[in-house]
Amino acid sequence: MSALAGCVLLRPYTQSPKELLVRPREAWGARRVPPRLLAPRGMGRRSSKIAARKGAQAARKMKRNQRIGKQIAKAVRDGGPNPASNLVLASLLQQARECNYPKEHIDKHLRKATDKDQQDYTECIYEAYGFGGVGLVMEALTDNPNRAFASIRDVVKKSGAKMADSGSVMFGFKRAGVIAVRPDKVDADHLLLAAMDAGAEDLIAPEPCHEEDTDGAAAEERHYKVVMPVEEFGAVKTKLSEAGISMDLESSGLEFLPVAPVEVDDEAMELNRALTDMLLELEDVDAVYSTQKQIKF
């Protein structure tokens, strides 16, 4: 195994990140918190956290569906609507089927891509400095880069973080394939051996599970991350399947992993998670990656 270790999208597993906005902090300024960000009345702390997690799960699923739809539209515009001659489109359609993406949505995006009034999608990368020395990279596949940049900049500025110049954060990341495996679906030792045999570079353990985080919503957010070179993603996935490993393909794909993960204190960790959640609420943002350290297996 290599020494590469990193993290992917930041997953809240303690306090709901949005609840942080209710607590007075200099970083957030004196702005008034909209009522929708407050925890529902009459709910206990654990109940409100479960509700927040379920809401976050639904948001991530919607974000994933939006990303697949935009990728399909871009592939059609670039290479035509025939999967037989457009290998990128064929790969995306296979990925969509593996993730149980609704066929009617696929058909809708195929029709939309052939509309002459449809704007082309552009892949954009934006960078920011988070809290505790953590760097953030935002991926956006957008039909309006100016809108995407303006909305990201506003969220970053209001949070107390800072936008970064192009390349000043990205140099600390490496593009890699990541296959997600839920801890309740696999034996850790079996996964480690299967990952090594499949040619994986690294295995990242799930975030710790606290006693109060025993609900099903919390379990679905926790994953082992099997890491491999981008070009080996398909081969490793096939070998893990042959080894009987149950993979969460909806949470798998190509991601940016930090070369040198940064350890931060609890306060910075929660602030980075809150910022990540706010960025992911933006229409144009498809993924947020961080140099914040996770646990190495």
Side-chain angles (χ1 to χ4, degrees):
M1 291 298 222
S2 74
L4 175 65
C7 68
V8 289
L9 297 185
L10 300 178
R11 309 287 192 186
Y13 64 92
T14 55
Q15 185 180 13
S16 171
K18 288 185 177 179
E19 292 178 1
L20 290 173
L21 304 181
V22 184
R23 296 158 55 187
R25 287 189 188 276
E26 293 182 1
W28 303 116
R31 66 188 181 90
R32 184 171 179 266
V33 179
R36 69 180 183 87
L37 298 183
L38 299 174
R41 292 185 179 181
M43 296 181 68
R45 182 172 181 270
R46 182 174 183 276
S47 298
S48 61
K49 287 175 64 179
I50 293 174
R53 283 197 196 95
K54 290 181 178 179
Q57 285 179 355
R60 279 194 297 273
K61 184 175 181 179
M62 180 177 69
K63 181 70 67 176
R64 182 210 71 202
N65 289 348
Q66 289 175 345
R67 173 73 173 182
I68 292 176
K70 290 189 291 185
Q71 288 176 324
I72 289 174
K74 185 177 187 303
V76 171
R77 300 281 291 206
D78 292 344
N82 186 358
S85 58
N86 187 339
L87 298 183
V88 173
L89 177 60
S91 177
L92 286 170
L93 294 178
Q94 176 62 29
Q95 176 187 344
R97 285 190 289 269
E98 290 177 346
C99 294
N100 298 317
Y101 191 71
K103 184 179 183 301
E104 59 270 21
H105 289 184
I106 294 176
D107 294 339
K108 181 186 72 174
H109 289 296
L110 290 173
R111 291 194 301 270
K112 185 177 180 181
T114 58
D115 186 347
K116 63 180 180 179
D117 295 327
Q118 171 64 38
Q119 295 292 322
D120 290 333
Y121 283 103
T122 303
E123 294 181 359
C124 300
I125 298 290
Y126 303 97
E127 304 169 42
Y129 297 111
F131 301 92
V134 167
L136 299 174
V137 168
M138 289 73 74
E139 265 189 322
L141 185 58
T142 177
D143 58 357
N144 191 328
N146 291 332
R147 179 191 64 210
F149 174 75
S151 58
I152 290 172
R153 179 190 57 197
D154 290 346
V155 167
V156 170
K157 182 178 180 180
K158 290 177 182 179
S159 75
K162 182 181 178 181
M163 293 295 292
D165 294 333
S166 178
S168 57
V169 172
M170 179 57 74
F171 78 93
F173 287 85
K174 174 183 178 180
R175 192 68 163 172
V178 176
I179 294 177
V181 181
R182 282 179 51 179
D184 58 341
K185 300 292 185 180
V186 69
D187 174 78
D189 291 336
H190 177 47
L191 175 60
L192 178 59
L193 292 175
M196 293 175 65
D197 292 341
E201 288 186 336
D202 206 353
L203 180 61
I204 303 172
E207 292 178 330
C209 184
H210 296 268
E211 292 182 0
E212 58 186 18
D213 296 334
T214 56
D215 57 277
E220 291 183 9
E221 292 180 0
R222 302 176 65 248
H223 294 94
Y224 286 104
K225 300 289 185 179
V226 182
V227 181
M228 74 290 302
V230 171
E231 62 274 13
E232 297 295 326
F233 180 82
V236 173
K237 183 177 71 170
T238 298
K239 291 179 181 178
L240 289 178
S241 178
E242 293 173 349
I245 301 298
S246 176
M247 298 167 286
D248 184 352
L249 296 178
E250 291 186 5
S251 300
S252 303
L254 305 183
E255 302 178 357
F256 288 109
L257 299 181
V259 177
V262 178
E263 289 194 41
V264 298
D265 59 27
D266 291 344
E267 181 177 9
M269 185 180 295
E270 296 292 352
L271 289 171
N272 286 324
R273 284 179 178 154
L275 173 56
T276 297
D277 272 12
M278 289 188 292
L279 287 168
L280 288 172
E281 288 181 354
L282 299 176
E283 176 185 355
D284 292 307
V285 175
D286 296 303
V288 180
Y289 304 99
S290 164
T291 59
Q292 188 166 289
K293 187 174 183 178
Q294 275 193 336
I295 302 169
K296 187 173 184 294
F297 189 84

